[in-house]
Structures are given as C-alpha cells and as structure tokens.
Amino acid sequence: MAFTAFRGMKPFPQLMFTTFVVLVCFLVFMLLSMVVAVPLFGVEALFRMSSLTQLSDPETIRMLKFFQVIQSIGLFIIPPLVLAWLFHGKIAAYLSLNRPVTTVAAMLVVVLVFVVNPAINFTGSLNADMNFPEWLSGVENWMRQSEDTAARLTDAFLKTETTTGLLFNLFMIAVLPALGEELLFRGVVQQVLTRWTRNAHAGIWLAAALFSALHMQFFGFLPRLLLGVLFGYLLLWSGSLWLPILAHFVNNGAAVLGTWYIDQGKLDRSFEEIGAAPGNTWMAMVSILLTALVLWAIRKQYREQRLTLQ
C-alpha cells in the first residue's frame, strides 16, 4: 500500500517539513559519522580536527574529508529522496530525473559553464570588495574570518600530489555536490517555492538565494546566487534535473582540475582570476554576451522540442 499521508500538503507546510527532514537526516548522519570516526581516527584526533589548526596534517585532512562526504550524503542526497517519496511516491518523476537530456543540450551546457566563468569571477570580485559601515565592523570581521577559514579549508582539501587524491577530490567536490545540492535545491526547494509563490521565476531566485546562503561564505554570496539562478532556469526550460546536475558538475570539476594543474605548474594561476583581475571588465562583458547567446540556444532547442512533440 502506498504511503500517502504527506501528499497534497500545502507549499508552506511542505517547506517547513523539508527543513525538518533535512535537519533530522543531517543530525543522524553526523551522529553515525562520529560513531564510525572514533575507531577509525581516535578521540584525540577528533578534538584536534575540531580546532582546524592542523590543516597541514594529512590525518586531519583525511578526517575532514570523511566528514565532508558524510555531510554531503546526509544533508543533500538522502533528504530529497525521502521527501520525493513522501510527497509524490515516484522519486524520479518528482525530482525531474525521468527525462533524459539531448547530446546537443549537454554540449551547450558544458560551453555555458566555461563562457559564464569570467562574468561569475567578476561578480565575485565585486562581492569580495563589499564594505560594511563602521557600526557593523564587528559583523564584517566575523564574516571575513569565516571566509578565510573556508578558503583555508578548501585549499587544504584541494592540495594533493597523487592521481588517487585528484579523483577523490573530484568525487567529493564535483560529483557529490552536483548530485546532492541539485536534488535538494532545484529538485525539491525550487519546486516547493514555485508552488508557494505561484511564480516560476520567484521560485528560482528564492531557491538560489537559499542555496548560496547555506554555503555560509558571505563574500561569495553573489556569484553562487547567480550560478543557482542559472541552474534553476536550466531545469525550468529543459524539465530535466540532469541538465543543472551536469552544469554543477562541470563547474566544480573545472575548479578541481584547474587547481591540480596550477599546483603541477602546468597552468598559470591567473586562470583562477579570468574576468576578476583589474582591467578585465571587458572580458566579463564579453562573457555576459556569450552566456546570453548560449542560454538562448538552449531555450530555443527545448522550445522546438516541445513543439515537435505536440
């Protein structure tokens, strides 16, 4: 017998219930990860890890990566699967995973991620230069300290000299977030917010804002917001979650590979600042134009596909 108690819920209660399920899954998985981590790493090592002062210690990095993987699964992957089953019954249909993407659309999305990068970097540089009034200096200092801690942690995660380490980073930073964050924010949250606001555009922007805010990196809020909006429209136009999943994977994977090649001395560090470096405003403008053209091509393809099916 199908479990239908949560079907037909109004959008706002669905949103509150979604928050509840995400928190419960996160806490359960964190508890399980702590139980598993004690025999694997030892209690003393866990206390050292919590201070984030041993980022040069390989054992600490292994523990942090272990918790990062568990957090990604417990926070982003399991909750949307549970929610899709409760809200609809057919997980793939509710999460828009039952519609494949065309080869042309997939290729356009890969191109899109690369052409939008200079514009995203440009907005990131504007966001990073944000200054607060004097009376909010304490808040600004706290935000910048949080940003610096996140940056140091990311650098520690990405630093590896082995191919195995690179492949694991791709799994942890590209595969898991691309699947999990898109399942939750585009597959569930955007859908619920669209029903609540009765406006697809409002649903996309609100879900993108939550997506960016959850990263808790305040001086990178704007570029993540715009990426979230981009992923949201890819879902709206295609009707398939696989398109934003692909875009998210390519975006994160390119960052992992770029850092790898920079550390190997095979790529100049300026690669990370395309569009953000002083004097590169023209590059950001070209990026915006090319992005608009690629988005138009993607939307046109799916519009023509719908007309063909009618």
Side-chain angles (χ1 to χ4, degrees):
M1 180 180 295
F3 187 73
T4 60
F6 292 92
R7 299 180 195 176
M9 287 178 70
K10 298 294 184 181
F12 185 73
Q14 273 193 337
L15 188 61
M16 294 299 98
F17 186 68
T18 295
T19 304
F20 171 74
V21 170
V22 169
L23 287 175
V24 168
C25 288
F26 172 70
L27 292 173
V28 168
F29 271 76
M30 282 304 296
L31 179 61
L32 289 174
S33 67
M34 293 291 289
V35 171
V36 174
V38 169
L40 284 178
F41 304 107
V43 176
E44 184 180 345
L46 291 178
F47 280 113
R48 287 203 312 270
M49 178 202 70
S50 63
S51 65
L52 292 181
T53 58
Q54 303 289 329
L55 293 182
S56 59
D57 177 28
E59 187 69 8
T60 298
I61 297 302
R62 279 194 289 271
M63 281 189 294
L64 288 170
K65 286 185 174 182
F66 167 77
F67 282 107
Q68 179 69 24
V69 169
I70 299 300
Q71 174 183 302
S72 294
I73 295 171
L75 186 60
F76 298 118
I77 293 180
I78 300 300
L81 299 178
V82 172
L83 290 164
W85 178 68
L86 291 174
F87 290 161
H88 188 277
K90 295 181 180 179
I91 294 174
Y94 183 82
L95 295 173
S96 302
L97 293 170
N98 58 342
R99 184 176 180 182
V101 300
T102 65
T103 303
V104 173
M107 291 173 64
L108 284 171
V109 163
V110 172
V111 172
L112 173 67
V113 171
F114 285 100
V115 299
V116 78
N117 188 257
I120 293 297
N121 288 344
F122 179 73
T123 60
S125 66
L126 294 178
N127 199 164
D129 291 336
M130 177 178 63
N131 290 305
F132 285 62
E134 182 62 31
W135 61 278
L136 285 176
S137 60
V139 175
E140 181 177 353
N141 290 335
W142 171 71
M143 286 182 173
R144 292 199 180 276
Q145 288 173 3
S146 299
E147 198 82 9
D148 291 342
T149 300
R152 289 192 297 109
L153 187 58
T154 300
D155 289 342
F157 277 174
L158 290 173
K159 190 174 181 59
T160 182
E161 298 178 356
T162 66
T163 304
T164 302
L166 171 64
L167 292 175
F168 185 83
N169 282 347
L170 284 170
F171 170 72
M172 179 181 68
I173 298 173
V175 175
L176 286 180
L179 281 172
E181 292 178 12
E182 294 310 306
L183 284 171
L184 180 60
F185 288 101
R186 253 58 65 182
V188 177
V189 175
Q190 179 175 309
Q191 184 173 177
V192 172
L193 288 172
T194 296
R195 288 184 58 228
W196 186 29
T197 60
R198 299 182 182 180
N199 186 297
H201 306 292
I204 287 170
W205 282 88
L206 288 171
L210 290 172
F211 162 74
S212 185
L214 195 66
H215 284 80
M216 294 295 290
Q217 290 176 266
F218 310 100
F219 293 93
F221 178 86
L222 183 57
R224 284 192 184 86
L225 169 68
L226 295 178
L227 279 174
V229 168
L230 199 67
F231 299 155
Y233 278 105
L234 289 177
L235 173 59
L236 177 66
W237 294 336
S238 69
S240 174
L241 193 65
W242 292 113
L243 219 54
I245 286 174
L246 175 62
H248 201 144
F249 169 76
V250 173
N251 180 74
N252 289 21
V256 172
L257 289 173
T259 301
W260 164 265
Y261 283 115
I262 288 171
D263 290 344
Q264 296 288 313
K266 297 177 181 178
L267 192 64
D268 191 86
R269 191 161 293 277
S270 60
F271 168 82
E272 296 179 317
E273 300 179 355
I274 296 174
N280 278 2
T281 304
W282 67 271
M283 194 176 292
M285 297 302 104
V286 172
S287 170
I288 292 172
L289 176 60
L290 292 175
T291 298
L293 289 172
V294 178
L295 286 173
W296 173 82
I298 293 172
R299 190 178 185 186
K300 181 174 181 289
Q301 189 199 29
Y302 279 101
R303 184 176 291 171
E304 291 176 348
Q305 189 179 84
R306 282 194 295 271
L307 290 173
T308 302
L309 294 173
Q310 289 177 357

